[in-house]
Amino acid sequence: MSIIKLLSEKVANQIAAGEVVQRPSSVVKEILENSIDSGAQTIKLYIKDAGKTLIQVIDNGSGIDKDDLKLCCLRHATSKITNSEDLFKLKTMGFRGEALSSIASVSQITITSNCLEDSSLGNQIKIEGGKQTAFNEVVAIKGTSISVKNLFYNIPARRNFLKSDNVELKHIIDEFHRIALSNHKINFVFTNNDNELFNLNKSIFKERIIRVFGRSSEQKLIPVEENTEIAKIKGFVFKPEYSRKTRSSQFFFINGRFIKNNYLHHAIKTAYKGLILDDYHPSYFIKIDVPRETIDVNIHPNKTEIKFDNDQSIYAILISSVKHSLGQFNISPTIDFNSNVNLNTPYSFKDKSANVPKVEYDQAFNPFNNLKNPVDVKSKDFVFESYESNDKLNVVDEMNLGLSDSLPAFQLDSRYVITKNRAGLVIINQKRAQQRIMYEVFLKELSNKKNPSQTLLFPLKLEFDNSEIEYLKSIKSSLIHLGFKFNVFDNNLIEISAVHPFLDHNLINKLFQDFIEYGDISENKLSHTLNDLVAKVLSKHSSYNTNLNTNEKVIEMMINNLFACKDSRISPFGKLIHKSISLGEISIFFK
Ligand code: ADP
Ligand code: MG
């Protein structure tokens, strides 16, 4: 008996969908690209629940005629190529004729289209799970509207695999950034759950970058331009002082198409060598135009990777043009990497000569005494504002009590604390121990009703792009809960007026950078919940025990607090906190 079967069209489409449609953002990418291919001047994107409930794109492009509308959701239905030679002449984004059929097989899709300027009638097709359920003549203006509902409704395993709305929305915004930047001559509107995220008028490339990433990006941009036979390079890089630890805002557009390319990325990093720290990344927006026959875009199903014939030459041209631009704008490697002022100074202090307020924790301070007599703002760097319990201060309060039977302990190299237990010697990594203690304090505080807050002398302004702000919104309530106060939490700006008292003010900027870096919970696997992530990142930047080396009692309390933790062995970031050397091991040294 034969065991080989031909897959049904439905199954084949679902398999193809696995390749093309990984998550809502892939649908957004495909249908936006179709609208661009259709010659649309204005494209509107609406999504609900990060695209899980609805993704709709409305364009004023060429439209699809009645016969094509019936075909466009079939596999390999494309108007863009008819034979394989056409592949080499391709100017459009799509050509495989796979996107719509794939999307239609895993969602409920409605396409309404009119291809005639002078008619108010168009056609509408509805497809559910790959099966046509309706086809009607409807009133429609010229152009196409595609709505994709309930993605993966018929593949629960895939639907369950989708990440939180925040994570999925971030992917959509990333995709939108790429498309909006490479098609700056098209008007875009992007609305999520009735909240308009972008409204971009057609403009030149530079203006589009500024519109997408906020007005402050204007001062960061340096133009890059180079014309050779092999490649024409045009775009912008960020001044080195605006480089960041996260690899966001890095864009290559080859012949108008966003691509990822580590090799070219390396070229840009090389051009910045000596200007930024090794673990910082430059931001760039680079358009490279090359003769179409010298690239192969067909090596990746999502077409975000590309093969060049002349990649080595392009690499060299890119380094020299970026270096040239950095040089022209008088940016030479003069940053003192040891003091690192430019990179670490919080944004709003950049041009101020005022002393940055530093958290000096007053150990004799009893919050209850001060409730009625607020601390003098002039003499203190901060004010305590609200207490309901002093639970969270136990860690420090206990330090003042001291212990009656003292433990032999001393500090080594300001990094380690050496002590003993019954079995032998214990070496504690001080920083990790502090992180663990503070992590557990913060976690506990997140379940308290009210927590201490410390007003900053100067409110701190931090800038972000839209997708970063969207992500930060998801942790905003945890931060407020932990004593943060925000004057502004807007499209591109956060203004912070108060923070948790244990945070080192100098590190607040870095704290937020870390939130963004660790933010993608799904991909980072650092945390499974937002609260956990917030506690972890905060623990990294807390100023607990800054004066550890001056006080033996404090060392001792740190040891006690550490071993009172739920898990004293491993830091919140998974690193070993202490190691023992047993008497047995010690005796071996002296054999
Ligand atoms: P491809 O883009 O690779 O050709 P798709 O499955 O994405 O394949 O689309 C199939 C066809 O449907 C396209 O070739 C095009 O003819 C038509 N089409 C899809 N979306 C639009 C649109 N917004 N406007 C006009 N035509 C469209
Ligand atoms: Mg397409």
Side-chain angles (χ1 to χ4, degrees):
M1 196 182 73
S2 152
I3 53 167
I4 296 177
K5 294 189 203 85
L6 282 178
L7 293 175
S8 71
E9 177 78 356
K10 189 177 156 207
V11 174
N13 272 334
Q14 287 193 351
I15 292 171
E19 236 192 34
V20 180
V21 188
Q22 277 127 20
R23 52 188 353 140
S25 66
S26 359
V27 174
V28 168
K29 172 179 189 283
E30 293 295 339
I31 54 182
L32 284 178
E33 286 186 348
N34 281 344
S35 293
I36 291 161
D37 285 347
S38 79
Q41 292 307 305
T42 298
I43 301 175
K44 293 177 182 162
L45 166 66
Y46 300 92
I47 61 171
K48 283 227 161 75
D49 307 323
K52 293 173 186 170
T53 310
L54 173 75
I55 298 165
Q56 182 172 23
V57 169
I58 301 174
D59 69 47
N60 62 353
S62 64
I64 309 171
D65 78 10
K66 190 174 176 182
D67 294 338
D68 284 348
L69 195 55
K70 287 179 181 158
L71 292 175
C72 68
C73 287
L74 297 180
R75 221 167 153 211
H76 304 307
T78 176
S79 56
K80 296 163 194 171
I81 54 170
T82 45
N83 56 44
S84 59
E85 269 106 74
D86 288 353
L87 262 178
F88 298 96
K89 302 185 200 133
L90 219 57
K91 277 195 204 140
T92 53
M93 314 290 277
F95 55 84
R96 301 163 137 238
E98 253 171 2
L100 283 187
S101 67
S102 300
I103 296 165
S105 72
V106 293
S107 68
Q108 296 156 334
I109 187 171
T110 303
I111 309 178
T112 310
S113 197
N114 175 359
C115 59
L116 300 169
E117 201 79 66
D118 50 5
S119 159
S120 58
L121 278 184
N123 296 287
Q124 185 175 70
I125 188 171
K126 293 190 177 186
I127 298 170
E128 284 192 20
K131 276 219 166 77
Q132 182 176 322
T133 56
F135 195 96
N136 297 302
E137 202 168 51
V138 293
V139 174
I141 54 168
K142 187 176 178 243
T144 304
S145 159
I146 300 192
S147 68
V148 176
K149 289 188 196 133
N150 304 321
L151 185 65
F152 300 135
Y153 81 101
N154 53 350
I155 314 181
R158 295 293 302 277
R159 191 155 173 101
N160 292 339
F161 183 72
L162 293 178
K163 300 294 192 287
S164 69
D165 283 7
N166 277 304
V167 172
E168 295 300 342
L169 180 62
K170 186 178 182 306
H171 284 291
I172 293 176
I173 293 176
D174 284 348
E175 210 61 76
F176 181 82
H177 280 163
R178 297 163 180 176
I179 287 173
L181 288 172
S182 53
N183 297 282
H184 50 89
K185 291 178 187 153
I186 296 176
N187 305 308
F188 284 99
V189 180
F190 174 9
T191 306
N192 172 42
N193 289 343
D194 302 323
N195 173 22
E196 191 176 275
L197 295 179
F198 295 91
N199 190 335
L200 308 169
N201 287 331
K202 98 183 233 192
S203 62
I204 56 169
F205 187 45
K206 184 175 180 183
E207 189 185 334
R208 179 60 54 97
I209 297 172
I210 296 165
R211 290 292 195 117
V212 170
F213 292 101
R215 212 183 299 156
S216 68
S217 50
E218 182 165 11
Q219 74 199 69
K220 305 176 187 170
L221 297 173
I222 303 174
V224 175
E225 187 161 2
E226 189 70 71
N227 278 327
T228 68
E229 297 229 317
I230 294 168
K232 291 189 184 9
I233 293 175
K234 207 174 159 108
F236 298 88
V237 294
F238 266 10
K239 291 177 187 161
E241 67 258 39
Y242 297 107
S243 62
R244 297 167 62 159
K245 264 191 149 174
T246 48
R247 275 187 68 164
S248 60
S249 307
Q250 299 181 335
F251 298 90
F252 284 121
F253 302 101
I254 311 296
N255 294 0
R257 190 192 297 269
F258 170 82
I259 59 127
K260 291 180 186 153
N261 190 306
N262 280 332
Y263 186 58
L264 296 186
H265 171 75
H266 189 265
I268 298 211
K269 267 216 100 170
T270 307
Y272 273 80
K273 217 168 171 62
L275 294 170
I276 60 175
L277 290 173
D278 280 349
D279 57 345
Y280 277 64
H281 300 282
S283 293
Y284 51 83
F285 312 83
I286 302 282
K287 299 202 267 186
I288 304 178
D289 285 330
V290 294
R292 223 171 299 135
E293 57 282 3
T294 64
I295 48 170
D296 177 6
V297 289
N298 201 14
I299 60 167
H300 192 273
N302 289 329
K303 299 172 236 112
T304 52
E305 281 167 24
I306 209 163
K307 230 168 59 195
F308 295 94
D309 289 353
N310 302 314
D311 51 0
Q312 288 179 12
S313 316
I314 295 173
Y315 181 93
I317 298 166
L318 199 54
I319 292 187
S320 84
S321 57
V322 173
K323 266 193 173 169
H324 178 75
S325 293
L326 291 172
Q328 262 205 331
F329 283 78
N330 275 339
I331 294 154
S332 50
T334 53
I335 300 173
D336 174 0
F337 285 118
N338 293 322
S339 69
N340 227 340
V341 195
N342 288 342
L343 295 166
N344 289 339
T345 307
Y347 188 79
S348 66
F349 295 128
K350 196 163 51 81
D351 302 312
K352 287 188 180 142
S353 56
N355 286 338
V356 178
K358 180 146 175 47
V359 182
E360 293 282 0
Y361 197 83
D362 181 355
Q363 295 191 13
F365 180 71
N366 179 338
F368 289 97
N369 293 341
N370 284 281
L371 253 188
K372 286 167 206 90
N373 304 312
V375 185
D376 179 7
V377 190
K378 283 186 214 106
S379 64
K380 288 269 165 208
D381 287 334
F382 54 81
V383 205
F384 279 93
E385 292 204 332
S386 56
Y387 284 93
E388 228 159 49
S389 80
N390 67 339
D391 251 13
K392 68 284 303 173
L393 295 171
N394 281 350
V395 173
V396 180
D397 276 355
E398 280 171 29
M399 286 177 190
N400 294 327
L401 304 173
L403 284 184
S404 45
D405 46 346
S406 73
L407 193 70
F410 65 93
Q411 205 188 23
L412 185 68
D413 192 28
S414 308
R415 287 193 290 167
Y416 306 105
V417 166
I418 317 285
T419 185
K420 68 166 200 176
N421 61 9
R422 244 174 277 132
L425 265 183
V426 184
I427 306 167
I428 301 170
N429 181 311
Q430 194 177 303
K431 196 167 144 205
R432 292 177 190 173
Q434 290 170 2
Q435 281 178 355
R436 163 55 65 181
I437 295 165
M438 290 316 299
Y439 165 70
E440 296 201 1
V441 168
F442 288 127
L443 261 193
K444 196 167 161 206
E445 287 192 350
L446 280 161
S447 58
N448 289 343
K449 276 209 201 97
K450 263 195 170 173
N451 289 300
S453 189
Q454 181 184 86
T455 303
L456 299 172
L457 274 189
F458 303 106
L460 183 65
K461 286 186 180 147
L462 301 175
E463 299 200 31
F464 300 96
D465 68 37
N466 291 36
S467 71
E468 291 167 345
I469 288 278
E470 283 306 312
Y471 169 69
L472 291 174
K473 276 185 189 160
S474 69
I475 56 168
K476 184 181 170 190
S477 59
S478 303
L479 293 174
I480 290 175
H481 195 87
L482 279 173
F484 277 76
K485 290 202 172 132
F486 299 101
N487 296 338
V488 183
F489 208 114
D490 224 349
N491 287 344
N492 292 112
L493 185 74
I494 292 183
E495 189 179 298
I496 305 162
S497 59
V499 299
H500 191 287
F502 282 172
L503 283 184
D504 185 336
H505 293 195
N506 294 311
L507 296 178
I508 296 171
N509 194 2
K510 278 196 141 179
L511 171 83
F512 277 81
Q513 296 271 346
D514 275 1
F515 277 131
I516 287 164
E517 191 176 349
Y518 297 123
D520 200 339
I521 298 177
S522 63
E523 275 162 31
N524 216 289
K525 305 230 165 43
L526 176 65
S527 286
H528 298 292
T529 67
L530 282 177
N531 274 354
D532 186 61
L533 178 91
V534 169
K536 276 183 182 153
V537 176
L538 250 52
S539 75
K540 201 173 145 189
H541 298 289
S542 62
S543 58
Y544 169 83
N545 267 352
T546 42
N547 52 356
L548 188 66
N549 44 359
T550 62
N551 190 335
E552 272 170 40
K553 282 274 177 273
V554 177
I555 294 179
E556 197 174 305
M557 274 318 301
M558 188 208 78
I559 296 171
N560 287 334
N561 281 324
L562 174 66
F563 290 99
C565 282
K566 285 196 182 119
D567 186 348
S568 66
R569 291 170 312 114
I570 304 286
S571 84
F573 297 89
K575 300 256 172 71
L576 193 69
I577 296 176
H578 56 84
K579 182 145 180 61
S580 304
I581 304 177
S582 69
L583 287 172
E585 284 170 282
I586 294 173
S587 67
I588 293 171
F589 297 158
F590 302 103
K591 260 197 176 151

